Amino acid sequence: MDQMDRSVACSPPLSRVVVSGGTHGNELAGVCLVKEWLRGDSAPCLERSSFTAQPLLANPRATEQGVRYVNTDLNRCFKTHTLSAPPSPSDPYELVRARELDSLLGPKGSDEAVDFICDLHNTTANMGASLILYSLSDYFCLHMLHHLQTHMQSAPVYCVVFEEPPSAAYSLDTIGKRGLALEVGPLPHGLVRADVLSQMSEGVKLILDFIDLFNRGTLFPPCQVEVYRKLEGLDFPRELQSGELSGTVHPERQDRDFRVLNPGDPLFLRFDGETVRFKGERPVYPFFINEAAYYEKKLALWTAERVSVSVPALRVRG
Amino acid sequence: MDQMDRSVACSPPLSRVVVSGGTHGNELAGVCLVKEWLRGDSAPCLERSSFTAQPLLANPRATEQGVRYVNTDLNRCFKTHTLSAPPSPSDPYELVRARELDSLLGPKGSDEAVDFICDLHNTTANMGASLILYSLSDYFCLHMLHHLQTHMQSAPVYCVVFEEPPSAAYSLDTIGKRGLALEVGPLPHGLVRADVLSQMSEGVKLILDFIDLFNRGTLFPPCQVEVYRKLEGLDFPRELQSGELSGTVHPERQDRDFRVLNPGDPLFLRFDGETVRFKGERPVYPFFINEAAYYEKKLALWTAERVSVSVPALRVRG
């Protein structure tokens, strides 16, 4: 927050707001929403009294091909040092595109950057509607979370926090002054379900409603929110020699994102039938459980601790 | 059947049996099962008293890359005229591999072909465990269906029939003397769930059990089975100009494979909110509803009619 005044966090109004999809080209709920918004002359659902959000298709080539990415994961290209590295003719497509997006919506960390980016994602994990933030003291987004948790009808709302300084935060939404990723799942990659599309639409509506309420001077009273702070990634069981999968998520853990995992609980089931139990020393809360795109990243799930955050009151700086 | 004797269909015993997976490299339940079987010196679950089934990884390159196919859909390469076309240096990888497989397991239509191929597939559609056949008079496989429907615990068992003469049937399982595809879903492509893996394992077990019972002289009495006979494919709503999706499967139809679709029932939901209703003139039974791999084939689902088939008694020709 820019200013703390009598325990009220204040910050300037937001006028340049972007809702992007297709950062991963096979996450089709975001792709379909953005394309639908881009088709018409106007998209009334992006209009509010204090601003109109701009839709953006982030990775057009990957979207065209129906793949997550063409050369490299676009949503890992937005660290400050990645963006500022000297361009080379051999740069992968997504790095070139990341620089384009940084020129368009950033530059990251500058006064010229757009005020807010909501980047739409889908996951094969059972994560409902999850906001992904980089800081436990991002009070603006934590009030937004509280707004969604209070009003969202179609899906449970969670928040995960990957604590990183802005320069090291690697995702598209970090080139705006503020931003977040909205993950909705479970959705298989490469297809769109009407129910998930509807959940994502409702999430976007509530995010834009919140920004509008904020711009128009609403005082958001102090609140307490629960977030999931990332601890570590755990890989699937693998063959020692080949590195190939030798098991998958245990049926008692599959789809149980954000439910407590205690030491000794079943975690993986090896293909030979053996149960692998969680060896941690304390209870954790897994998320991104069995996300298809993370197989190549050698990641079966992230663990998190559940943290309750006291958020001061918030209003626009008048 | 080779011979009908006092209303008992008879055919020779089966000794060369193949269970293949990875025909589509991102359908991971089949891939994981086959790789697990190939790893050990033996796979006891493929052994029966009258034969031992051979595991086969059908498309190793696509499996390595985690994609459905590298150049073209392998499971469309097994028509007789495709296999017999003169090879060319510009042939796609999958066509070259199809000829290799035809040499190894066929040649299609010849006396040298293996006795049975069970080809393992996964689908994003809610099809439980579905057997895919090419003929309503394939009594051997219809008895196998009845065996699965009687004994399968972990998933409902269905059967779809794409009526095609063998020469025009395009899938891998058609190069054996007999065969079928076992589709298990719903499973997102690119990941493996323990529950679906367990359903597929049970399906394979029952298929091999049935072949063993048959080989050992079991008389299978006449039975009646219900199958779904393919009618036509329906595409998603699309933009007239661009051909891009303008809607998806209606939430009241999603996941309702093999449930009746009556004229006037909701079928698709356009992204603008309009419901598209089924315009057919009679009730049909859709399957492969919202299969991710069929978006590129411009196919939202297949319709079928439900047919009850009287199957004569069956036993091995002694």
Side-chain angles (χ1 to χ4, degrees):
Chain A
M1 288 290 106
D2 307 344
Q3 185 183 324
M4 298 283 288
D5 176 24
R6 292 185 307 279
S7 299
V8 178
C10 294
S11 68
L14 284 67
S15 59
R16 295 170 64 211
V17 175
V18 171
V19 185
S20 50
T23 300
H24 295 133
N26 60 357
E27 298 178 7
L28 291 199
V31 167
C32 289
L33 280 183
V34 165
K35 284 191 171 177
E36 180 71 10
W37 295 328
L38 288 169
R39 258 194 289 272
D41 292 334
S42 72
C45 55
L46 298 182
E47 293 167 15
R48 295 295 182 279
S49 63
S50 61
F51 69 97
T52 295
Q54 298 303 312
L56 175 93
L57 191 65
N59 191 334
R61 276 198 209 169
T63 302
E64 176 72 27
Q65 295 177 30
V67 295
R68 182 176 174 87
Y69 56 77
V70 176
N71 297 139
T72 192
D73 190 336
L74 175 62
N75 213 32
R76 301 293 180 276
C77 289
F78 296 95
K79 290 184 184 183
T80 301
H81 83 86
T82 309
L83 291 169
S84 61
S88 144
S90 64
D91 283 340
Y93 164 69
E94 275 83 4
L95 180 51
V96 176
R97 179 64 178 156
R99 289 201 198 94
E100 274 178 25
L101 291 168
D102 189 48
S103 298
L104 200 65
L105 310 180
K108 177 168 176 161
S110 75
D111 288 345
E112 290 74 48
V114 298
D115 295 314
F116 195 88
I117 299 175
C118 171
D119 193 35
L120 303 178
H121 289 264
N122 295 114
T123 172
T124 58
N126 186 25
M127 285 173 61
S130 289
L131 308 186
I132 302 184
L133 308 182
Y134 287 101
S135 162
L136 288 167
S137 56
D138 184 346
Y139 298 139
F140 182 86
C141 287
L142 292 175
H143 269 289
M144 183 179 277
L145 167 67
H146 187 246
H147 183 78
L148 266 75
Q149 287 184 326
T150 308
H151 294 94
M152 186 101 169
Q153 301 285 332
S154 60
V157 178
Y158 304 97
C159 178
V160 302
V161 180
F162 287 67
E163 286 175 290
E164 293 284 357
S167 64
Y170 48 60
S171 60
L172 167 59
D173 51 284
T174 65
I175 58 177
K177 291 199 187 73
R178 300 182 184 288
L180 52 73
L182 172 63
E183 282 280 358
V184 185
L187 183 70
H189 299 314
L191 68 83
V192 57
R193 291 176 61 105
D195 51 359
V196 170
L197 201 68
S198 159
Q199 291 160 7
M200 187 171 263
S201 292
E202 190 188 8
V204 171
K205 174 194 177 297
L206 291 171
I207 285 170
L208 300 184
D209 286 352
F210 173 83
I211 295 173
D212 194 41
L213 288 168
F214 171 79
N215 282 346
R216 288 156 57 202
T218 305
L219 174 68
F220 297 93
C223 64
Q224 197 79 15
V225 290
E226 258 178 9
V227 305
Y228 294 86
R229 188 172 155 270
K230 187 202 77 171
L231 293 172
E232 60 170 346
L234 298 183
D235 191 13
F236 294 96
R238 290 184 187 268
E239 293 295 315
L240 282 182
Q241 302 271 318
S242 64
E244 289 192 334
L245 286 186
S246 61
T248 187
V249 173
H250 195 280
E252 292 179 26
R253 178 51 44 188
Q254 176 69 47
D255 301 327
R256 292 175 63 84
D257 298 73
F258 303 115
R259 311 280 190 91
V260 67
L261 174 71
N262 284 302
D265 281 354
L267 182 53
F268 299 113
L269 184 62
R270 292 177 51 96
F271 299 144
D272 62 13
E274 189 193 328
T275 292
V276 179
R277 294 175 180 276
F278 178 51
K279 292 188 180 65
E281 292 181 347
R282 54 168 176 150
V284 295
Y285 297 81
F287 64 96
F288 275 128
I289 297 174
N290 214 350
E291 159 56 49
Y294 292 171
Y295 277 54
E296 68 177 24
K297 299 182 198 287
K298 305 219 178 297
L299 190 65
L301 53 86
W302 286 105
T303 64
E305 61 178 359
R306 193 165 65 181
V307 179
S308 186
V309 184
S310 298
V311 189
L314 171 76
R315 78 170 163 228
V316 73
R317 186 164 62 204
Chain B
M1 286 292 106
D2 307 346
Q3 185 185 323
M4 297 281 290
D5 177 22
R6 292 186 305 278
S7 299
V8 178
C10 294
S11 69
L14 285 66
S15 59
R16 295 170 64 210
V17 176
V18 171
V19 185
S20 51
T23 300
H24 295 134
N26 61 358
E27 299 179 6
L28 291 199
V31 168
C32 288
L33 280 184
V34 166
K35 284 191 172 179
E36 180 70 10
W37 294 329
L38 288 170
R39 258 195 288 273
D41 292 332
S42 73
C45 55
L46 298 182
E47 293 168 14
R48 294 296 182 277
S49 64
S50 61
F51 69 97
T52 295
Q54 297 303 312
L56 175 92
L57 192 65
N59 192 333
R61 275 198 209 168
T63 302
E64 176 71 28
Q65 295 176 30
V67 295
R68 182 175 174 87
Y69 55 78
V70 176
N71 297 137
T72 191
D73 191 335
L74 175 62
N75 213 32
R76 300 295 179 275
C77 290
F78 296 94
K79 290 184 185 183
T80 301
H81 83 87
T82 309
L83 291 169
S84 60
S88 143
S90 64
D91 284 339
Y93 164 68
E94 276 84 3
L95 180 51
V96 176
R97 178 65 177 155
R99 289 202 199 93
E100 275 177 22
L101 291 168
D102 189 47
S103 299
L104 199 65
L105 309 180
K108 176 167 175 162
S110 75
D111 287 346
E112 289 74 48
V114 299
D115 295 312
F116 195 88
I117 299 175
C118 170
D119 194 35
L120 303 177
H121 289 264
N122 295 114
T123 172
T124 59
N126 186 25
M127 285 172 61
S130 289
L131 307 187
I132 303 185
L133 307 183
Y134 287 102
S135 163
L136 288 167
S137 56
D138 183 347
Y139 298 139
F140 183 86
C141 287
L142 292 175
H143 270 288
M144 184 181 276
L145 166 67
H146 187 247
H147 184 77
L148 266 75
Q149 287 185 326
T150 307
H151 294 95
M152 186 101 167
Q153 301 284 330
S154 59
V157 178
Y158 305 97
C159 177
V160 302
V161 178
F162 287 67
E163 286 175 291
E164 292 285 357
S167 64
Y170 48 59
S171 59
L172 168 60
D173 50 285
T174 66
I175 56 177
K177 291 199 187 73
R178 302 181 183 287
L180 52 74
L182 172 63
E183 282 280 358
V184 185
L187 182 71
H189 299 315
L191 68 83
V192 57
R193 290 176 61 104
D195 51 0
V196 171
L197 200 68
S198 158
Q199 291 160 7
M200 186 171 264
S201 292
E202 190 188 7
V204 171
K205 175 195 176 299
L206 291 171
I207 286 170
L208 301 184
D209 286 352
F210 173 82
I211 296 174
D212 193 40
L213 287 168
F214 171 78
N215 283 347
R216 288 158 55 203
T218 305
L219 174 70
F220 298 94
C223 64
Q224 196 78 17
V225 290
E226 260 179 7
V227 304
Y228 294 86
R229 188 173 155 270
K230 186 201 77 172
L231 293 172
E232 61 171 345
L234 298 182
D235 191 15
F236 294 97
R238 291 184 186 268
E239 294 295 315
L240 281 182
Q241 302 271 318
S242 64
E244 288 192 334
L245 287 185
S246 61
T248 188
V249 173
H250 196 279
E252 292 179 25
R253 179 49 46 187
Q254 176 70 46
D255 302 329
R256 291 175 63 83
D257 299 72
F258 303 113
R259 311 281 190 91
V260 67
L261 174 71
N262 284 302
D265 281 354
L267 182 53
F268 299 112
L269 184 63
R270 291 177 51 95
F271 299 144
D272 63 13
E274 189 193 327
T275 292
V276 180
R277 292 174 182 278
F278 178 52
K279 293 189 179 65
E281 293 181 347
R282 56 168 174 149
V284 295
Y285 296 81
F287 64 96
F288 275 127
I289 298 174
N290 214 351
E291 159 56 49
Y294 293 170
Y295 278 54
E296 68 177 23
K297 300 182 198 287
K298 305 220 179 297
L299 189 65
L301 54 86
W302 287 105
T303 65
E305 62 178 357
R306 193 165 66 180
V307 179
S308 187
V309 183
S310 298
V311 189
L314 171 76
R315 78 169 163 228
V316 73
R317 187 163 61 203

